[in-house]
Amino acid sequence: MPPLRRTSARAVAATRVIRERKDPLEDEARFLRSWFERPLVTGAVTPSGRMLARTMAAYADPNVAGPVIELGPGTGPVTEALIRRGFDQDRLVLVEFNPDFCTLLRRRFPGVTVICGDAYRIRDTLGDRLGSLSAATISSLPLFTKPLEQRLELLQGAHDLMRPGAPFVQFTYAVVPPIPAKCEAGSYTASRSNRVWLNLPPARVWVYRRPEPQGAAAL
């Protein structure tokens, strides 16, 4: 796993106001209510914990040009971790299906782009809004609620929008990968983090990359 970068003074300043107006209990109540209403859409009953969010954000490199796509941001714990990581808010493009969460995210992170739409139709949902190839995609979607074919289509669609070698980052509570780790066609590689025991429930992060074409480094 990439090292967790020390929080910069700029990132601290950017998140200070966010931290002051957040209420973890309110966020958990929002998630629980959303889960009861639409369990297959929300997938989790609580937001990602801080350590899990930091682990996911650690795979995105602020020095790589391009926007960062976040799928299923919910109430924004991973969004905040990305800002702490050093990403300017205007580089973050959030795709959220729940309109209540979209409203909350726009209020909590006024500099980010929030798109209320279907992340599983990532090409249609984002269209030409990125402007350039993405540096990373960070996903908190409940992938196991979808058939494997749809999960693979999501991964392929995300990779089509990203730079070669850019990471598609996905967490899971399960002991098996959300997308198979072995790819017979060779269209992606997979690696995993250690289990994040401090999250409730414990989770693991999987990272999928599309291999760069041979000879690309020499161009």
Side-chain angles (χ1 to χ4, degrees), residues 130-212:
L130 292 179
S132 62
L133 292 177
S134 173
T137 297
I138 314 293
S139 171
S140 299
L141 298 174
L143 293 190
F144 281 110
T145 65
K146 301 294 184 181
L148 178 58
E149 182 179 359
Q150 192 168 357
R151 288 177 253 163
L152 289 170
E153 288 177 357
L154 170 65
L155 181 62
Q156 180 177 339
H159 279 151
D160 288 344
L161 299 174
M162 291 193 291
R163 295 178 176 277
F168 179 95
V169 182
Q170 172 73 49
F171 87 89
T172 182
Y173 302 127
V175 296
V176 296
I179 299 173
K182 293 184 179 180
C183 175
E184 294 181 1
S187 60
Y188 64 82
T189 62
S191 61
R192 66 180 185 177
S193 73
N194 295 326
R195 185 163 290 278
V196 183
W197 294 105
L198 294 180
N199 194 70
L200 187 64
R204 172 169 281 139
V205 176
W206 282 86
V207 182
Y208 300 88
R209 301 177 190 269
R210 176 179 287 175
E212 297 189 39

Side-chain angles (χ1 to χ4, degrees), residues 81-139:
L82 287 167
I83 295 171
R84 290 174 176 273
R85 176 84 168 138
F87 287 95
D88 292 334
Q89 290 196 29
D90 60 8
R91 292 185 62 186
L92 305 182
V93 179
L94 280 50
V95 180
E96 172 57 52
F97 190 79
N98 187 317
D100 293 333
F101 287 166
C102 288
T103 299
L104 175 68
L105 291 165
R106 291 188 181 107
R107 184 172 68 248
R108 184 167 285 173
F109 307 101
V112 307
T113 298
V114 179
I115 298 173
C116 205
D118 186 356
Y120 290 99
R121 301 180 59 191
I122 188 169
R123 295 186 189 91
D124 295 335
T125 298
L126 289 177
D128 57 357
R129 300 194 188 195
L130 292 179
S132 62
L133 292 177
S134 173
T137 297
I138 314 293
S139 171

